Amino acid sequence: MRSTDEVRAGQVPLRSGPTAAGPAVNLTRRPLLRRLLLGAAIIVLFIVSALLLSVAIGVEVGGQAALLGVLFAVLPVGIVVPALMWLDRFEAEPIRYLLFAFGWGALVATTVSIVLNTGSLIVLSNVGIDAEAVGAVMIAPVVEESLKGLAVLLILWFRRSEFDGVIDGIVYAGVTAAGFAFAENILYLGRAYAEMGAQGLVGLFVIRGLIGPFAHPLFTMWTGVGVGIAATRTRGALRWTAPIGGLLVAMLLHGLWNLAAVAGIEGFWSSYLLLQVPIFLGALAFVSWQRRREGRLIGASLAIYADYGWLSAAEVEMLGSLRARKEARRWAARVGGRRAKRAMIAFQDDASGLALLRVRMSHGSAGPEAPALERQLLHTMTRCRAALP
């Protein structure tokens, strides 16, 4: 343990930054005009996409069927999104970026996919090819996974400071895919009701909403894995090959799912049991392993701050375990009420951000503002600790 005098003198593995007594600094500030233009462009894009999508769905299935589609399509979202938030418990992503990801999937990716997929069907039909089968298995996976993956790349490009690795990639990709599945389900469920009535609606809901609610997130998560790997590297082949490889895996899985769907009910169940279920279980094991790995990484990264007196060994151990974090929040609420619980939550969140920032700095993928942000997080954690009983 370093002496208190050394810590106060600034002999820590950090560069200069804001002091504990100094004013808060917005370390991610961008020119106001750029932020306003970017925000306005996103809003306009979402509004235009929403209008086009609403018209397309309304024209194809009608108002009543579309409304029923919305009601049934919401239910799978209530299954998928909480599961993704459970995965993201160590370091929750900002709500505004998650909303962007969901909106991109539900509005932009879906609308553009409808246009491109419909155009491809027209072209394939004119050349005498089985448009439905080829479009579903060969065209749709390429179009849809590329558009969903673009959201993850945009978040990495514009908000790299919020992208810490594979878990973040999976979460952003999964939320984007959940948005896409939500909008797509409105169309498919509405079409089922318009063509086959309530029986068709319920039957399709069972398949898409209950049996396969994780289908789209399961595909797109591999794009997120690839982008997450690239986010932790500044050079080397993986920086470019990992996102491409992840996207190709997403397309392959999507194509296999669609192939099962066009193979008839027997082909679907055989593929589902022999292929899709094992893939899902494998993906579940992978993300669980990644979350445990993230906990170990947080503990190891924070250990250096314990060496210099910023954290205690007990705090480092607590911060690397979800169970210990939960117990710490319960203790804070029990002895200090809501104020103390909020302070503990803030302390844990800032510690996760600090640990993952240290990882990016060690990889050379953190921006020039990283040293100042590092010191600010340390001082913020100190103030949170002071608010605890």
Side-chain angles (χ1 to χ4, degrees), residues 40-117:
I42 292 173
I43 291 173
V44 170
L45 181 62
F46 278 20
I47 290 175
V48 171
S49 299
L51 291 174
L52 292 175
L53 184 62
S54 299
V55 171
I57 294 175
V59 168
E60 179 163 353
V61 305
Q64 182 182 7
L67 179 59
L68 286 171
V70 171
L71 294 177
F72 277 82
V74 167
L75 298 177
V77 175
I79 298 173
V80 175
V81 172
L84 293 168
M85 297 304 97
W86 168 84
L87 177 63
D88 200 31
R89 286 172 63 192
F90 268 116
E91 198 242 350
E93 304 309 313
I95 295 296
R96 59 187 180 278
Y97 302 149
L98 295 175
L99 290 175
F100 166 80
F102 189 89
W104 180 278
L107 301 175
V108 181
T110 306
T111 302
V112 178
S113 292
I114 290 175
V115 173
L116 295 180
N117 288 338

